[in-house]
Amino acid sequence: MESGEPFSEQFQDFYFSTDGGLQETEYVFLKQNGFPQRFDALKEEPKDYVLRIGETGFGTGLNFLVTAYHWLQINNLNCILEYTAVEKYPLTKLQMEQVYTTFKKTWPQLSACCSELLNQYPLNFFPSDNSASINQFELFNGKIRLNLIIDDATKGLKHLLSTQELSLNHSQHNSLQKMDAWYLDGFAPAKNPDMWQIELFKTLAKLSKPGTTISTFTSAGVVRRGLIEAGFTMSKISGPGKKREILLGVKE
Ligand SMILES: C[S@@+](CC[C@H](N)C(=O)[O-])C[C@H]1O[C@@H](n2cnc3c(N)ncnc32)[C@H](O)[C@@H]1O
């Protein structure tokens, strides 16, 4: 972490490509989900329209920062971006401050988003016991909402689903608040097999609607087959830089 190139000792893997991390995020996660063009198309939507993006593995928040940056570039957009990420091992505020010092130098266009998030990033997250702990942040005067769920991806998303079903039963919502797009991050399946399980893919499907898009940097067969089994149509395309292939898909 000291070198500014975040590395996980636990998973023996980098948080993102140290060679063009921002471009990789734009290619793997934004472009494959149709962003920012899909943001632009929301100009016609009413003021209270919410676009929902879900992510597994928030890490340093680079995917979030890049998405928030592009969202804020669209003029005359009155809708809200709600970004819900699950993270089992959150970085401390001190680690985030170190990483963001590097981000700001490398990618100055992300500076405002880094500062806005750091201002609200807590010193400590409360440990979650049986229920997932959801931390909510209102950024840029409410234009962007970040829900950070500190939990295992499958457990945290299942909890989110059950909370929504519960409030639906109590008529607090008219329908489940399903995601419009998913970013699946979370270290390579070979290094983190526990996360990439069919139960996760089925939970993602339950929190999706027809047309929900999904992308991930991995092209592992276990992920492609699992997402197909859960109800997504998946394709492989060439990856960024040295990465041969990545996966993208859409919920049937
Ligand atoms: C490749 S990094 C993510 C990079 C991140 N998107 C970023 O921009 O920094 C993978 C992240 O997944 C998290 N993770 C690993 N296993 C997980 C699990 N079972 N549930 C939730 N998060 C997990 C790790 O702690 C790490 O932060």
Side-chain angles (χ1 to χ4, degrees), residues 11 14-16 55 57-63 86-89 151-153 185-187 192 195:
F11 293 98
F14 286 97
Y15 275 71
F16 46 80
E55 178 183 37
F58 185 74
T60 65
L62 180 62
N63 295 338
V86 203
E87 174 55 60
K88 192 170 180 180
Y89 309 102
D151 208 338
D152 167 70
D185 215 344
F187 296 127
N192 187 17
M195 196 194 87

Side-chain angles (χ1 to χ4, degrees), residues 126-155:
F126 293 109
S128 59
D129 29 47
N130 286 328
S131 57
S133 111
I134 303 184
N135 300 266
Q136 297 184 310
F137 309 96
E138 289 264 330
L139 307 171
F140 295 99
N141 295 323
K143 283 184 181 171
I144 299 176
R145 270 187 229 142
L146 170 65
N147 300 324
L148 199 46
I149 304 176
I150 305 304
D151 208 338
D152 167 70
T154 307
K155 208 166 139 248

